[in-house]
Amino acid sequence: RTSRRARGARRVAVTMGTDALDVALVAALVVVVVVVVAGSRDTVSGLGRSLLLVTAGVAGGVTVGLPALRRRRRRSTVLPSPDEVGDLMDFLQRLAEASGVAGVGLLVVGEVREQVAADGAVLITGPDLSVVAGRDGDTSALLDRTAIRLVVDAREPRCFHGQVARLFAPVVHRGEVVAVLGASRPAHLPFSQADQDKLVLLGPHLGSSLTRAAEHDSTRALAYVDGLTRLANRRRLDHDLPRALDGWLSAGYPVAFA
């Protein structure tokens, strides 16, 4: 709790300091312009006028560029609300209980749809980001390879607007993009910066979960498949047969096994 309050205090201090710096730079720019105008009346030497012009240019450039820096700094230091932290902890618990990439994918796309109020959500993973590990709702507009590649190259979330509003966010694990989250909804409901932040918040946890799930799938395949013939082994039979028998018998089908 103390650490959270300290981070909040630092964020407020950074924001207030940046706002004060904005005001100071604008004031300095106005003063320099006034002095330069006065210098045009031969009240300032040529060298002094040149220095003032350079100072005005630097102040103007910093003043123009500082708002973008401030927005980026604010975006990187935004902390989730207590309710969002509670929801995230609940989601992480369910994520830890999911088995396999398919299980993680189904859980994640459902969470994405709920978090950003999307009509459709998709999780794309695999070595070349070509495997749809999970989908929920209408995902036809989210299988855009060009948009996915732009997001992967930029390594940051992006919104695309057209017939539908689309939001993509990369999932980075150990410096590599291991998956891409996508969400869509009607064009008249564009995604906001807050929606992007929600997907970014899921990214670090999802990356490690996908890696663990892929290892689980690989281990399961090794346990259930004969290494020589690549056919299902006795362990696979013992796992699948009781479930299949229960399904057939409950449906009233005759069963024979040879």
Side-chain angles (χ1 to χ4, degrees), residues 23-42:
V23 174
L25 285 173
V26 172
L29 182 60
V30 172
V31 171
V32 170
V33 170
V34 171
V35 173
V36 169
V37 172
S40 64
R41 301 177 181 176
D42 297 330

Side-chain angles (χ1 to χ4, degrees), residues 10-95:
R10 285 197 298 270
R11 182 180 65 175
V12 172
V14 168
T15 301
M16 292 178 63
T18 308
D19 291 339
L21 186 57
D22 273 350
V23 174
L25 285 173
V26 172
L29 182 60
V30 172
V31 171
V32 170
V33 170
V34 171
V35 173
V36 169
V37 172
S40 64
R41 301 177 181 176
D42 297 330
T43 58
V44 180
S45 64
L47 179 60
R49 189 181 304 115
S50 299
L51 291 175
L52 288 173
L53 287 172
V54 172
T55 304
V58 172
V62 174
T63 303
V64 171
L66 195 60
L69 177 62
R70 180 179 58 193
R71 287 193 299 271
R72 185 166 185 174
R73 177 174 294 180
R74 283 177 176 172
R75 180 171 57 188
S76 63
T77 57
V78 169
L79 298 178
S81 66
D83 290 339
E84 291 174 339
V85 171
D87 293 341
L88 178 61
M89 295 301 295
D90 178 66
F91 169 71
L92 293 180
Q93 182 177 356
R94 289 182 286 122
L95 191 62

Side-chain angles (χ1 to χ4, degrees), residues 12 38 52 65 83 87 90 108 122 125 128 130 136 138 144 146 151 165 171-172 182 195 197 214 220 224 235 242 247:
V12 172
L52 288 173
D83 290 339
D87 293 341
D90 178 66
V108 168
V122 66
T125 185
D128 55 353
S130 60
D136 193 6
D138 184 7
D144 185 344
T146 301
V151 171
V171 177
V172 181
D195 295 326
D197 292 339
R220 180 173 178 173
Y224 286 167
R235 187 178 291 107

